Amino acid sequence: MKLKRFAILVSTIFLYAALFASNDIALMDKCKNSGMTIYWDSLSETGMLEKNGHQISFRNGEGMVLLDSIRMMITDAPELRDNQLYVSQKFLDDSEEFFNQKSELPFKVGAILIDAGHGGKDPGALKTYKINGKNVTIQEKDITLKVSKMLAERLKAAYPGKQIILTRDKDVFLTLGERTDIANSVKVGENEAVLFISVHVNSSLNKTSSGYEVWYLSPGYRRNVLDKSAVDGDENLFPILNSMMEEEYTTESIMIAKFIMDGLQGQIGKESTARGIKAEEWFVVRNSNMPSVLIELGFVSNEKEALLLNDERYLKKATLGIYNGIAAFITHFERSQGFTSIK
């Protein structure tokens, strides 16, 4: 996508005007009464508004907002005070005017890439236990491959029109760079996006550590998700646009993580502990130019949990939980037409 039209939106006059806006309307209260849905990430201080199939991404203190992931708008900057978001009447009027526009092309998830961690000469986390009188070594690479293949089968059956891709479907070694290269080379249609789901198993020196968790990219890390060649003209425009798009990926990754965590909790119940959603700068997530999460299914260093991870029944439940989370995310975003797409 060429972004020439963005350049004319960035000017000192507009940015100064946004800084001096009169922000006296509580956004959360306004959303309750106007039909807008709001998502807010306190760590990155970024948010998203949805209504009528449209989406506005914004950041505290900045007057530049992202509309449906494809164009920018200058308005009054939202302001965070005492843990409350405040906006001006102009911000609300501009938002409503945009929300009342008809959608042009629907946004959808075009591909889901499932990355089974480790493989081949790299077994990942492993531990040997005596099971039915025999020594059995439980390896991360085997668990992640089983779950990834079962997840792919479910997704292919449910979404025949989407690309469901495995970085590996057998016991082979792939470098982290090769995995992210596969992800970033996936081709999708206009207004289609790619999800990156990386599956792993945990280990700890503390044998009592247990539970599953879902990680997304830390808001403190910044990556280039926009090709510089796509921005013509003002060189100062690239870091602004890239930052906005990268933060949208982060917001969507957080949402995927939440849906998957809910799905896992719904299936696993009390058999294991939900350790929550966390932020980290994992290489395989950090270098994927798309919304992406990393799932840790449990700890092989904990004997009780290792035996669960070696149990086909338990892995099927975990797989269903991940699937339910992804399906809920897809339904939400395709209904709202609010997914990030970069060409």
Side-chain angles (χ1 to χ4, degrees), residues 24-247:
D24 54 7
I25 303 172
L27 183 57
M28 194 70 71
D29 294 338
K30 189 66 179 179
C31 286
K32 294 178 182 178
N33 301 320
S34 64
M36 289 188 292
T37 301
I38 183 171
Y39 303 93
W40 175 251
D41 175 36
S42 59
L43 291 177
S44 62
E45 294 192 347
T46 60
M48 187 185 299
L49 294 174
E50 288 183 354
K51 185 178 178 180
N52 297 338
H54 289 293
Q55 182 185 87
I56 297 177
S57 299
F58 62 91
R59 180 165 55 186
N60 174 42
E62 291 198 1
M64 182 182 291
V65 298
L66 187 62
L67 309 177
D68 282 346
S69 307
I70 57 175
R71 59 190 177 94
M72 310 294 289
M73 177 177 73
I74 295 293
T75 185
D76 291 345
E79 182 182 357
L80 185 64
R81 303 196 307 263
D82 300 322
N83 294 321
Q84 290 281 345
L85 274 171
Y86 292 90
V87 296
S88 68
Q89 186 60 49
K90 174 176 170 51
F91 179 93
L92 293 175
D93 291 343
D94 289 343
S95 298
E96 284 295 343
E97 182 179 355
F98 171 67
F99 286 141
N100 289 330
Q101 295 178 5
K102 290 185 178 181
S103 299
E104 297 178 359
L105 293 173
F107 286 81
K108 66 178 184 178
V109 176
I112 304 169
L113 187 68
I114 306 165
D115 176 46
H118 305 276
K121 66 181 182 181
D122 176 17
L126 54 83
K127 189 74 173 179
T128 300
Y129 297 99
K130 192 172 288 295
I131 302 175
N132 297 326
K134 296 181 179 180
N135 287 331
V136 177
T137 300
I138 300 173
Q139 302 183 100
E140 178 176 5
K141 68 173 185 177
D142 298 330
I143 298 168
T144 61
L145 184 58
K146 286 180 182 178
V147 170
S148 295
K149 290 174 72 173
M150 288 191 290
L151 179 60
E153 288 177 6
R154 282 188 173 275
L155 289 169
K156 286 178 180 178
Y159 302 103
K162 301 185 189 303
Q163 300 179 64
I164 310 300
I165 304 166
L166 286 161
T167 56
R168 67 180 183 96
D169 58 5
K170 52 190 174 184
D171 187 20
V172 295
F173 173 77
L174 293 174
T175 66
L176 295 177
E178 287 173 327
R179 295 171 192 272
T180 52
D181 284 347
I182 292 171
N184 294 328
S185 66
V186 175
K187 303 297 182 183
V188 291
E190 187 175 1
N191 287 351
E192 291 186 343
V194 183
L195 296 184
F196 186 90
I197 311 295
S198 190
V199 183
H200 286 258
V201 172
N202 229 329
S203 184
S204 173
L205 294 176
N206 184 350
K207 295 181 180 180
T208 64
S209 295
S210 66
Y212 50 91
E213 53 201 24
V214 186
W215 295 78
Y216 65 93
L217 184 66
S218 168
Y221 179 83
R222 286 293 170 257
R223 53 187 169 170
N224 283 344
V225 297
L226 191 63
D227 186 346
K228 286 188 177 182
S229 66
V231 182
D232 293 337
D234 190 350
E235 294 181 357
N236 296 322
L237 188 58
F238 175 78
I240 298 173
L241 296 178
N242 185 77
S243 177
M244 290 292 293
M245 194 61 68
E246 196 279 335
E247 283 171 1

Side-chain angles (χ1 to χ4, degrees), residues 48 50 53 55 68-69 107 248 252 333 336-340:
M48 187 185 299
E50 288 183 354
Q55 182 185 87
D68 282 346
S69 307
F107 286 81
E248 177 138 338
E252 291 166 350
F333 268 83
S336 68
Q337 301 181 39
F339 211 90
T340 302

